[in-house]
Amino acid sequence: MEYTVQKLGQLAGISTRTLRYYDEIGLLKPARINSSGYRIYGQQEVNRLQQILFYRELGLHLEKIRDIMNDPNFDSTKALKDHRENLLNKKEQLDLLIVNVEKSIAAQERGITMNDQEKFEGFNEKLIEENEKVYGKEIREKYGEDAVNRSNDKLKSMTVQEHEELTRLGDELYETLGEAFKTGDPAGVLAQKAAELHKQWLCFYWDSYSREAHRGLAQLYVDDERFKQHYDKSQPGTAEFLRDAIHVYTSN
Amino acid sequence: MEYTVQKLGQLAGISTRTLRYYDEIGLLKPARINSSGYRIYGQQEVNRLQQILFYRELGLHLEKIRDIMNDPNFDSTKALKDHRENLLNKKEQLDLLIVNVEKSIAAQERGITMNDQEKFEGFNEKLIEENEKVYGKEIREKYGEDAVNRSNDKLKSMTVQEHEELTRLGDELYETLGEAFKTGDPAGVLAQKAAELHKQWLCFYWDSYSREAHRGLAQLYVDDERFKQHYDKSQPGTAEFLRDAIHVYTSN
DNA sequence: TTACACTTTGACGCTGCGTAAAGGTCAAAC
DNA sequence: GTTTGACCTTTACGCAGCGTCAAAGTGTAA
């Protein structure tokens, strides 16, 4: 039985392009070329193609398949075992990924519903009002009217995405800070990471950053009972710890 | 704080090429370009890059990320949920693949160790001897000396790969035949597939195929007790079933 | 001034084909 | 004999996400 590209393609359920490609890379050469240049495949090639597709379904790269099929000395069992290792690694990574994606979804759902634009637009306003009511006076005294106004403007003009990121950053800071606190070392890697995150978080509100202002705010967190309560919520002493970490951070 | 490509790359742990690519596709544009054409990134870009890398780690395509980040109305929770679906599908496929790879490894290990070339080289000889001893006389009588010799030559010159394929084909035939037998219909899809597999299996031994010879062999399977025992091993009546299936197969 | 590290744009390469484009071939129908 | 229409051929771009030259300009320290 002899086959042209299309017939063989139909038999095997693959495209003619695939067959020409396999010829090109030397994976499956036709039995012969007829006088018009047509590729002609025979029974052996059908068998070989079956074997190729078998390995392909197992997810092996074509180059690997070619190695296996061209060299009879090639240890195909070992190749399959290696391949299984790869797949298991992939699976592990994939599982991790899925867990992370689910965490992210949960984090987003714990927060605001992001696509509810109406609610959101009101939300920023409310956040500012709240801010004003609670901390407005002190901050205005400490940093001046202009800075606070600029900060509020920045908050108002924030997009949903930026706001989402801010929330995420806040969460990450909170978590990192919690971990860092357990180490007890404000100069440690984790604590310094927390300080860096805090800086980034700040940069959402401030249009200019200075070490002094950063330190000052850190001190405020300790001095002001309301800030302190926020940070000490789960682990008392966290506000002081953050201040110390920021102190170290701003000294470098 | 301002960053050039390399500084930002080091900060984020990515290459400068990646940053230029992200600029090119409009995913992350620098804050400004300096007089010499250098890309200069600011704090906002660092934040945005963090967000980008966050999504990238979750395995989202850059285009998707761009959509999410550029359009504040974009429902990122939905995007993540879609993405989770994709990942779960991938996981399912991957699990299937792993099972198949493991099956294949087991199948290979049930058979001969393929990379033991020495053993194998002897193996073909022994297979022929065995063949000769058991069936040689009848087959020679039925099909003539030449055909048998050609068949034996073919067997001897077989590569490890071809032999492996032959074994696999035999296994597949055996399984398919078992399934087909349960249906009880020699003209059914499964039985016809078994007949086709049997033909392919034959083509390893025969250098020319004819329907008549195929039928003749099928009849031999029923008439000869030793062949019959081989096929009837697990389900009595299989030899007759195969003969009937081949009869139908060779009539089309 | 020279060396050296850094930057730019431009372009090819990787996998496994899909998808034209531009042109020959073959069998059947007119 | 010719015209369809279904085949076949080679050539080549496109895809994702960069890695990796190459050629040429820029910044800075010795």
Side-chain angles (χ1 to χ4, degrees), chain A residues 43-44 47-48 50-51 54-55 57-58 68-69 72-73 75-77 80-81 83-84 87-88 90-91 94-95 97-98 100-102 104-105 108-109 115 117 159-161 164-165 168-169 200 203-204, chain B residues 43 47-48 50-51 54-55 57-58 68-69 72-77 80-81 83-84 87-88 90-91 94-95 97-98 100-102 104-105 108-109 115 117 160-162 164-165 168-169 200 203-204:
Chain A
Q43 187 59 43
Q44 280 200 24
N47 295 339
R48 189 176 162 97
Q50 271 206 4
Q51 185 79 354
F54 166 72
Y55 282 125
E57 261 180 57
L58 296 183
I68 294 179
M69 312 253 320
N73 293 325
D75 185 349
S76 65
T77 303
L80 281 187
K81 284 185 175 172
H83 186 53
R84 180 181 52 182
L87 292 181
L88 288 175
K90 253 193 196 172
K91 179 181 158 67
L94 197 57
D95 285 342
L97 215 57
I98 291 173
N100 279 333
V101 170
E102 275 167 354
S104 303
I105 293 173
Q108 283 195 4
E109 288 186 336
N115 61 335
Q117 189 69 12
T159 68
V160 179
Q161 280 310 314
E164 188 179 329
E165 194 186 332
R168 196 182 57 75
L169 207 56
Q200 288 185 11
C203 287
F204 267 97
Chain B
Q43 188 57 44
N47 295 339
R48 188 177 162 99
Q50 271 207 1
Q51 184 79 356
F54 166 72
Y55 282 124
E57 261 180 58
L58 296 182
I68 294 179
M69 312 253 319
N73 292 327
F74 199 94
D75 186 348
S76 65
T77 303
L80 280 186
K81 284 185 175 173
H83 187 53
R84 180 180 55 183
L87 291 181
L88 288 175
K90 255 195 195 169
K91 178 179 157 65
L94 197 57
D95 285 341
L97 214 58
I98 291 173
N100 280 334
V101 170
E102 275 168 354
S104 304
I105 292 173
Q108 283 197 4
E109 289 188 334
N115 61 336
Q117 188 69 12
V160 179
Q161 280 311 312
E162 284 169 343
E164 188 180 330
E165 193 185 331
R168 197 182 56 73
L169 206 56
Q200 288 186 11
C203 288
F204 267 97

Side-chain angles (χ1 to χ4, degrees), chain A residues 29 40 203:
Chain A
K29 298 248 173 232
I40 307 293
C203 287

Side-chain angles (χ1 to χ4, degrees), chain A residues 67-198:
Chain A
D67 291 345
I68 294 179
M69 312 253 320
N70 283 352
D71 179 6
N73 293 325
F74 199 95
D75 185 349
S76 65
T77 303
K78 184 176 177 312
L80 281 187
K81 284 185 175 172
D82 286 354
H83 186 53
R84 180 181 52 182
E85 275 312 298
N86 288 339
L87 292 181
L88 288 175
N89 284 339
K90 253 193 196 172
K91 179 181 158 67
E92 212 173 311
Q93 284 184 12
L94 197 57
D95 285 342
L96 256 170
L97 215 57
I98 291 173
V99 169
N100 279 333
V101 170
E102 275 167 354
K103 265 192 197 165
S104 303
I105 293 173
Q108 283 195 4
E109 288 186 336
R110 267 192 295 113
I112 30 167
T113 313
M114 276 309 161
N115 61 335
D116 197 340
Q117 189 69 12
E118 283 186 345
K119 266 191 205 163
F120 179 76
E121 274 164 0
F123 186 83
N124 269 356
E125 307 277 347
K126 256 171 61 189
L127 203 114
I128 293 168
E129 266 180 54
E130 199 96 10
N131 235 22
E132 280 289 314
K133 245 189 280 174
V134 184
Y135 312 114
K137 218 172 126 205
E138 278 110 320
I139 299 176
R140 275 175 202 277
E141 280 167 11
K142 249 188 143 71
Y143 302 104
E145 290 288 329
D146 279 1
V148 175
N149 285 341
R150 275 201 307 275
S151 171
N152 284 349
D153 284 350
K154 214 169 172 185
L155 211 56
K156 249 189 267 183
S157 67
M158 217 176 260
T159 68
V160 179
Q161 280 310 314
E162 285 169 341
H163 185 273
E164 188 179 329
E165 194 186 332
L166 180 56
T167 308
R168 196 182 57 75
L169 207 56
D171 286 356
E172 198 181 343
L173 167 59
Y174 194 73
E175 268 190 48
T176 308
L177 189 56
E179 297 288 325
F181 185 72
K182 286 181 201 152
T183 71
D185 177 15
V189 177
L190 272 172
Q192 289 309 296
K193 191 183 167 196
E196 164 74 20
L197 286 170
H198 185 256

